[in-house]
Amino acid sequence: MEAVWGGTRVRDVTALPEPALVAGAGFAAPAQWADAEFQHRWQQYVLDCCGRLEEALGAATGDGGDGRQLVLVSGWPLTRKRDAELAYLAQYEQHGPTVPFGGRRTGYGVEPDHAVVLAVPRFAARHAADHTRDDRQRVILGPDLVAGTAEPDERDVLALLRGAYPYLLADAEGDGPGARPTAMVTTARAVRRAAQLERQAAYSGPDSMEVYNDLVVGKYSWVPDDEHPGPAAAEMENLPVHWLKDWMLCLDVECGMRAETVLHRLYGTVTSYEPGTGRVEFSPTGGHPAISVPVHRIVALTGDRQRRSDGQVPAHEPYKE
């Protein structure tokens, strides 16, 4: 309607409603004023139509019209040209944290990319999914919100977020103080230690540059102590940890809440190590702020023999060793 009638000129001044909304002073002729009055009223009419349409869609009943649905949206924030059709999603409420989702290319390199969970009307969820059907990981539909509830189930929110990034800060927070590694972690550590006994015996010492050099290129894995602190903690403390931030590394971590955990490999850089607690500060690939990973959740730290730069590695991948 706007495209067809928005530029129409007034043919009959007396057809305009009263009272006038645009003052007549400053116009050279009645026709010029009438055109300004009409355009003003037309713009207001279009906005009113859009408002009524939004109200109708929000109040509609039937399939997809009533209620809200959770959606996982990656590539957040929606600020690129290709996001124009999805930018309206920013008006809806976010639930849970913003999580890392790798990096996005810019004119100056790579900047952090994110993913969020939103609660949106069902029609908006369907539109976003249809618009991104050629990029299936861009928008993931979650469960419907129960009618009459203001907040979604936290478990539903966290399950969606794990589809974007498997390790969440809530994982370790739920372990409680003094948490110990699970049987899954200790078993995986034992396998990793056994696989590198021969190489470890060839080093001149646990704090040698040979250890560091092999670690960053993936020939050697640092495996934490099952009883922290121990020899592994001393080894990491004596290595030049401040140099690790210059290398793309793999942190093998137990992800998820206890009793529902899985092992996953995260890519990024190590920015610091706390010998007392064993916590590793880890910056996910894409240049994200560092997250704190406790030692009881870590299986191993190593490098990638083939992929060693930000553009070559994913943000994460399943644990295969």
Side-chain angles (χ1 to χ4, degrees):
M1 291 174 64
E2 170 66 19
V4 175
W5 300 104
T8 301
R9 298 183 65 81
V10 174
R11 301 296 183 186
D12 184 359
V13 174
T14 62
L16 293 172
E18 296 181 355
L21 301 180
V22 176
F27 294 98
Q32 188 181 48
W33 162 80
D35 279 332
E37 172 78 5
F38 175 71
Q39 294 303 324
H40 179 82
R41 288 183 177 273
W42 178 260
Q43 184 180 37
Q44 188 60 51
Y45 171 69
V46 171
L47 292 175
D48 290 344
C49 284
C50 292
R52 291 199 298 272
L53 177 61
E54 288 184 354
E55 290 179 7
L57 288 171
T61 57
D63 182 26
D66 185 27
R68 298 180 298 158
Q69 184 174 4
L70 293 178
V71 294
L72 172 71
V73 182
S74 60
W76 191 268
L78 304 171
T79 55
R80 291 169 288 188
K81 287 184 178 180
R82 71 186 186 98
D83 299 330
E85 289 292 328
L86 298 176
Y88 71 95
L89 293 176
Q91 68 182 296
Y92 297 115
E93 185 177 2
Q94 177 181 339
H95 293 274
T98 300
V99 299
F101 194 74
R104 61 172 69 176
R105 289 289 176 184
T106 67
Y108 301 98
V110 177
E111 66 180 17
D113 216 349
H114 305 85
V116 296
V117 169
L118 307 175
V120 307
R122 288 198 188 107
F123 73 85
R126 288 201 314 273
H127 168 267
D130 290 343
H131 182 71
T132 58
R133 59 182 176 272
D134 294 331
D135 186 0
R136 294 184 179 180
Q137 298 303 311
R138 189 74 201 282
V139 173
I140 304 296
L141 298 182
D144 295 336
L145 272 67
V146 178
T149 58
E151 296 293 324
D153 190 315
E154 183 183 18
R155 291 171 297 182
D156 292 335
V157 174
L158 295 181
L160 279 173
L161 288 172
R162 292 189 200 284
Y165 200 71
Y167 183 79
L168 305 178
L169 295 180
D171 295 347
E173 291 173 358
D175 295 344
R180 293 174 51 80
T182 62
M184 177 188 294
V185 171
T186 56
T187 300
R189 287 175 177 176
V191 172
R192 295 292 287 274
R193 291 191 193 102
Q196 60 186 16
L197 283 177
E198 184 176 347
R199 177 169 291 276
Q200 194 171 26
Y203 296 138
S204 56
D207 57 347
S208 69
M209 286 302 296
E210 301 163 282
V211 174
Y212 173 83
N213 291 335
D214 281 357
L215 173 69
V216 297
V217 298
K219 294 181 180 180
Y220 174 75
S221 297
W222 175 74
V223 181
D225 307 293
D226 293 336
E227 296 291 339
H228 181 85
E235 176 186 24
M236 179 62 77
E237 185 177 3
N238 291 328
L239 290 178
V241 178
H242 57 283
W243 289 352
L244 291 179
K245 65 179 182 296
D246 298 327
W247 293 88
M248 184 60 57
L249 300 177
C250 320
L251 189 65
D252 297 324
V253 178
E254 183 185 35
C255 303
M257 307 299 285
R258 286 286 169 93
E260 297 180 349
T261 57
V262 294
L263 299 182
H264 229 81
R265 170 162 285 187
L266 312 180
Y267 284 86
T269 58
V270 171
T271 59
S272 67
Y273 172 73
E274 300 176 7
T277 63
R279 286 185 175 272
V280 169
E281 295 295 316
F282 182 77
S283 174
T285 182
H288 291 269
I291 58 177
S292 183
V293 184
V295 68
H296 70 268
R297 285 269 179 169
I298 300 173
V299 172
L301 173 69
T302 187
D304 191 306
R305 299 192 188 191
Q306 284 77 40
R307 301 173 294 180
R308 301 180 187 176
S309 68
D310 206 359
Q312 295 177 317
V313 300
H316 56 86
E317 61 187 10
Y319 183 80
K320 297 179 181 178
E321 296 187 46

